[in-house]
Amino acid sequence: SGASLSSLSGDVVKYMKAAGDINSAHYPLSMKRAFVVNSPFWLAGAWSGIKVILPESVHVDLLSSSEYGAKLREFIDDDQIPPEYGGSSPYSLGSHPFERDLARIVERGL
């Protein structure tokens, strides 16, 4: 499966834009930078149209598998990077207690 260009219907893009606007209005600067690691090849070409859903204050790096380790370490301590991405965190992606708590909240619909 995975992401495809067809996943980005008009409704999906509108929803993501609205969610980003709400987040920016209520939690300004809560996200300054995002990393997209090993994205599908089409994302780089479609990025100019997709980035409009993010607040202007957010910088996004599209990283290939050959460069993500060094780039992540420029901004994130090695012990906070999951082992799947070459870090030394004791938590695999999605297993940190904060991530698990957030997942439970989302599942409950709060």
Side-chain angles (χ1 to χ4, degrees), residues 13-25:
V13 171
K14 279 194 261 184
Y15 170 80
M16 291 177 70
K17 174 73 172 137
D21 290 346
I22 291 168
N23 188 61
S24 293

Side-chain angles (χ1 to χ4, degrees), residues 3-87:
S4 68
L5 197 52
S6 64
S7 302
L8 297 173
S9 70
D11 288 340
V12 170
V13 171
K14 279 194 261 184
Y15 170 80
M16 291 177 70
K17 174 73 172 137
D21 290 346
I22 291 168
N23 188 61
S24 293
H26 296 284
Y27 307 100
L29 300 178
S30 61
M31 185 167 110
K32 293 182 181 181
R33 178 171 234 106
F35 299 97
V36 179
V37 178
N38 291 335
S39 61
F41 74 93
W42 55 262
L43 187 62
W47 185 247
S48 62
I50 296 170
K51 71 180 179 182
V52 299
I53 64 175
L54 296 171
E56 290 181 19
S57 60
V58 176
H59 178 83
V60 177
D61 291 296
L62 302 177
L63 305 176
S64 69
S65 59
S66 64
E67 66 183 344
Y68 71 76
K71 189 69 170 179
L72 290 175
R73 284 181 185 79
E74 287 180 31
F75 299 94
I76 306 170
D77 292 335
D78 189 73
D79 66 342
Q80 299 299 308
I81 299 173
E84 298 92 336
Y85 292 99

